[in-house]
Amino acid sequence: MTGSVGAPAERREGREKVGGTARYAAEFHFPGTVQAWPVPAVVARGRVTGVDPAAALAVPGVLAVLSHENAPRLAEPDDPTLAVLQNARVPHRGWFVALVVAETLEAARAGAAAVRVTYDVEEHDVALSVSHPGVYVPEEANGGHPAVREQGDPDGAFGSAAARVDVAYRVPPLHNHPMEPHASTARWVDGRLTVHTSSQGTGVVRATLAALFGLPQERIVVTAEHVGGGFGSKGTPRPDVVLAAMAARHTGRPVTVSLPRRHLPAVVGHRAPTLHRLRLGADADGRLGSVVHEVTTHTSRIKEFVEQAAVPARVMYAAPHTRTVHRVAALDVPSPSWMRAPGEAPGMYALESAMDELAAELGMDPIELRVRNEPDVEPDSGKPFSSRNLVACLREGARRFGWAGRDPRPGTRREGPLLLGTGVAAATYPVLVAPSAATAHARPDGTFLVRINATDIGTGARTVLAQVGADALGVPLERVRIEVGSTELPPASLAGGSSGTASWGWAVHEACARLARRLAEHPGPLPAQGLDVRADTRGAADAESDFARHAFGAHFAEVAVDTVTGEVRVGRLLGVYAAGRILNARTARSQFVGGMTMGLGMALTEGSTMDAAFGDFTESDLASYHVPVHADVAEIEAHWLDEEDARLNPMGSKGIGEIGIVGTAAAIGNAVHHATGVRLRELPLTPDRVLTGLLDRRVRGTV
């Protein structure tokens, strides 16, 4: 072993990105490449009755206007959000109804503005409520989780509990907004399709395009050399790649489609709003007897997606009587989809906020309450945990944060107009692993090439996989080269669900370990062509485990609340994680800190409003949808435990990309309550909501 795994190795593509030589999907300019700009629907529901392209075609440089009247016909997709320009139906505002292709981006944009579309408008409904007449219980939630799980008599146990909380929380729609908008460049040559796309998984894109265009997959090459973030929104193909391929076929020219940021909320998925009701019942010692978590969310009318926000309550705490329920209403809204830690992020905000309320009801330290309800096995499945170090995370976080010196009384720390408070919350995320394949090649000069169709979406996958390969080969890191991001490489799972490194690393480790054994058995110099080994983890990575496998963590936050302006400032964020073996200290810390920062945005600044009259998201760009910046948190720390778990994969690693966001919003919300004595149950905690809460408390005479 060379010790490459765990070392803080620098990102291999870092200089390319900093120097501007890393090419993204919209930067592949082939001879004759043209640009395309989509035209979104301006009604929330109805049918297109006419598309007049005359004014657009009169714009200098405009080559074509595609609509359902003349666009290439596609096979019916498994994902209805990809049936673009195929019929006159408008399922929601922002649905693409035309595409303008032009010699330049400016001409395409001007042409799109000139297209005249008429509609037959229908009544629409975009307002979600728990009492909506269309609310129903689906068969399952995202991830294949049963929509309902019940054990024992949760209502009876709640009614007889010594301490009870019955509370409702609301998380608004949230948007992924990666730095690189969704973009694709497509070209057809001799009946073969080549696509460069900003995607979290090129294999899925190729399979989708093959089905849509009736091609064998072997005649399609999809690459994602560099991807500027995705956070789930690029986990499945989006309309940009379909439109680019359609326009390229129609015009006979390579076409680039780069979606304007204002279009993203309507067409690339979003975190659906979730309405939560939590009922927790405990005895006088704080031991839970009843846990009920009910979630209501929305989906579109064309594709069911149910945020699995009640699932974390099936994992976290020991309680003999439980019920978790998901309900959903199909509305005239854009189709929701994955966003960093789907289910866990909103679900744990509600559960961990309710646990804080229960701790206050009991007069108990919130860390101690969580420790007292630590389960021996996973509550939902009854399986033993492969490893569970939540208590250790809470204890270590408390030590580092200085929790022992905390005055538990709300509203007792003041510095002038500022009220100060601290809060804590737990975090969890499942261990997900999928089959992948990799090849390892030994060259006569002593270097190695590892090839796998992994996707580096900014997480440092190239670097970490090289470290895994170097350790398995027993060679220095600089002797291992990695190729990723193309369907011409051995197939691999997509980058999602914090499963990438665990899945790809398994295949890379196996290929390199086999190659090391071959080299040990090979006498003398290598042949000129070198040695090749392939590994495929099908049948191993996808095998059912006898253990419940999860990562855990603890979040701590310190806030200052301005009683004059209502502004909340986070002075400190600290996270401690138990996520198996950390493969690269540098990239891991970046992932944890990035997730925590995103959780800060969820808590304080990020929120979206569905306009009932117009049926669209009013916060559709970064001027109105406020993501956090460096100045929004003064100090942020991420730490981890040295956790050994042999029941995961050959590296002993768990996913780390998403657990950083899980629990952060609850820790901040709990800290705001500790600072002010005001319990706010709707995110984000904006100044107007904080001031209203403070005013209500003053009116009641408690401030």
Side-chain angles (χ1 to χ4, degrees):
M1 299 292 286
T2 64
S4 293
V5 167
E10 294 182 358
R11 292 172 187 255
R12 296 198 153 193
E13 78 285 9
R15 290 184 181 274
E16 294 176 71
K17 289 182 174 178
V18 172
T21 60
R23 287 199 300 175
Y24 293 82
E27 297 175 322
F28 285 85
H29 301 301
F30 304 105
T33 298
V34 295
Q35 304 289 324
W37 193 282
V39 178
V42 296
V43 301
R45 181 175 177 174
R47 298 184 65 84
V48 174
T49 57
V51 177
D52 183 357
L57 292 171
V59 174
V62 169
L63 302 174
V65 177
L66 300 182
S67 70
H68 73 280
E69 297 174 352
N70 65 338
R73 296 297 93 189
L74 304 175
E76 185 175 347
D78 292 333
D79 182 350
T81 66
L82 300 180
V84 287
L85 310 187
Q86 297 301 292
N87 57 63
R89 189 75 197 155
V90 176
H92 60 77
R93 194 180 184 96
W95 178 264
F96 292 148
V97 294
L99 182 75
V100 175
V101 186
E103 295 285 357
T104 66
L105 186 64
E106 292 77 9
R109 180 173 57 191
V115 174
R116 296 293 173 255
V117 183
T118 55
Y119 305 90
D120 180 6
V121 181
E122 301 172 9
E123 292 293 324
H124 66 271
D125 180 8
V126 298
L128 176 66
S129 70
V130 294
S131 59
H132 191 284
V135 167
Y136 65 96
V137 177
E139 290 187 10
E140 62 182 31
N142 178 50
H145 297 283
V148 180
R149 297 285 280 174
E150 185 164 356
Q151 298 177 359
D153 179 16
D155 296 327
F158 179 80
S160 61
R164 292 175 288 181
V165 295
D166 185 345
V167 287
Y169 302 92
R170 184 184 183 98
V171 178
L174 299 172
H175 301 289
N176 310 61
H177 277 307
M179 184 179 293
E180 177 200 18
H182 297 63
S184 297
T185 299
R187 63 172 174 167
W188 294 82
V189 178
D190 298 329
R192 301 180 64 87
L193 174 61
T194 300
V195 174
H196 300 274
T197 187
S198 185
S199 170
Q200 294 173 222
T202 58
V204 178
V205 174
R206 181 173 70 168
T208 300
L209 292 175
L212 289 174
F213 288 92
L215 288 177
Q217 292 194 34
E218 294 73 27
R219 292 172 63 184
I220 302 175
V221 175
V222 180
T223 65
E225 185 177 349
H226 296 285
V227 179
F231 310 112
S233 69
K234 298 175 183 175
T236 59
R238 299 301 183 186
D240 58 287
V241 71
V242 180
L243 291 172
M246 290 172 62
R249 169 171 276 188
H250 181 82
T251 62
R253 304 269 295 271
V255 174
T256 295
V257 175
S258 184
L259 298 184
R261 186 166 296 278
R262 291 180 65 89
H263 291 180
L264 300 187
V267 296
V268 303
H270 62 279
R271 195 193 301 284
T274 44
L275 312 179
H276 305 256
R277 185 183 179 190
L278 267 296
R279 281 173 283 174
L280 305 179
D283 63 20
D285 293 327
R287 289 178 174 80
L288 288 165
S290 177
V291 173
V292 176
H293 191 172
E294 299 173 328
V295 177
T296 304
T297 185
H298 79 204
T299 189
S300 73
R301 295 195 190 275
I302 62 171
K303 180 182 179 181
E304 183 183 83
F305 181 92
V306 182
E307 186 90 6
Q308 71 274 28
V311 168
R314 302 173 184 176
V315 173
M316 285 303 297
Y317 302 115
H321 306 282
T322 64
R323 181 169 63 249
T324 48
V325 181
H326 300 86
R327 300 183 179 92
V328 64
L331 305 176
D332 303 305
V333 297
S335 298
S337 186
W338 304 326
M339 182 172 173
R340 199 174 200 166
E344 278 72 19
M348 285 293 282
Y349 160 69
L351 177 61
E352 291 301 288
S353 298
M355 286 291 285
D356 199 68
E357 297 206 44
L358 180 61
E361 181 73 18
L362 289 160
M364 181 179 294
D365 181 84
I367 292 179
E368 182 60 29
L369 175 64
R370 289 167 172 82
V371 172
R372 290 192 184 187
N373 288 284
E374 182 72 0
D376 296 325
V377 297
E378 186 186 62
D380 187 49
S381 68
K383 291 182 177 181
F385 289 100
S386 65
S387 57
R388 180 177 167 120
N389 286 296
L390 173 59
V391 172
C393 289
L394 288 164
R395 298 295 193 208
E396 177 65 9
R399 183 188 70 80
R400 289 179 176 272
F401 194 74
W403 187 264
R406 177 185 192 254
D407 185 336
R409 295 173 299 165
T412 56
R413 292 176 60 200
R414 180 185 285 270
E415 292 181 1
L418 302 180
L419 293 171
L420 309 179
T422 53
V424 65
T428 187
Y429 200 77
V431 172
L432 303 176
V433 185
S436 295
T439 59
H441 175 73
R443 293 169 167 163
D445 64 0
T447 62
F448 301 86
L449 173 63
V450 177
R451 306 174 83 232
I452 183 170
N453 188 20
T455 308
D456 194 331
I457 57 174
T459 55
R462 287 178 176 83
T463 308
V464 175
L465 293 178
Q467 292 175 270
V468 171
D471 261 23
L473 288 163
V475 301
L477 179 59
E478 59 269 18
R479 287 169 58 185
V480 178
R481 190 164 72 86
I482 292 283
E483 287 185 6
V484 301
S486 172
T487 55
E488 295 186 298
L489 302 173
S493 58
L494 61 83
S498 296
S499 67
T501 301
S503 304
W504 312 324
W506 191 332
V508 167
H509 178 276
E510 289 300 308
C512 291
R514 292 178 190 178
L515 181 58
R517 291 193 292 270
R518 284 274 307 275
L519 291 170
E521 298 166 356
H522 191 278
L526 291 178
Q529 70 271 23
L531 284 180
D532 284 290
V533 170
R534 179 185 173 93
D536 192 323
T537 62
R538 283 178 296 181
D542 51 349
E544 182 70 22
S545 176
D546 294 330
F547 295 87
R549 300 178 295 185
H550 302 267
F552 292 94
H555 292 279
F556 294 79
E558 181 176 44
V559 303
V561 181
D562 193 315
T563 57
V564 177
T565 66
E567 182 181 21
V568 177
R569 282 285 181 179
V570 176
R572 282 195 298 161
L573 277 180
L574 184 146
V576 178
Y577 305 96
R581 187 183 186 191
I582 299 301
L583 303 182
N584 182 313
R586 185 190 301 257
T587 59
R589 180 168 283 106
S590 176
Q591 286 296 294
F592 289 138
V593 169
M596 294 164 71
T597 306
M598 204 165 174
L600 168 71
M602 178 179 174
L604 299 183
T605 65
E606 295 185 47
S608 186
T609 306
M610 179 57 69
D611 188 301
F614 291 96
D616 63 354
F617 294 113
T618 56
E619 298 84 2
S620 58
D621 57 26
L622 294 181
S624 53
Y625 185 89
H626 298 148
V627 299
V629 297
H630 288 298
D632 286 321
V633 58
E635 182 180 329
I636 185 165
E637 298 179 40
H639 306 277
W640 51 84
L641 308 179
D642 293 326
E643 183 179 64
E644 295 186 7
D645 190 334
R647 303 181 178 99
L648 304 170
N649 50 57
M651 303 86 66
S653 65
K654 299 178 180 179
I656 60 174
E658 292 169 277
I659 194 171
I661 191 177
V662 179
T664 299
I668 293 172
N670 295 338
V672 169
H673 171 261
H674 182 238
T676 63
V678 176
R679 182 69 67 175
L680 302 172
R681 300 187 179 96
E682 181 176 358
L683 295 181
L685 306 179
T686 48
D688 57 323
R689 288 175 177 151
V690 173
L691 283 176
T692 299
L694 290 172
L695 179 61
D696 289 346
R697 195 161 186 247
R698 290 191 188 99
V699 170
R700 295 196 307 269
T702 54
V703 174

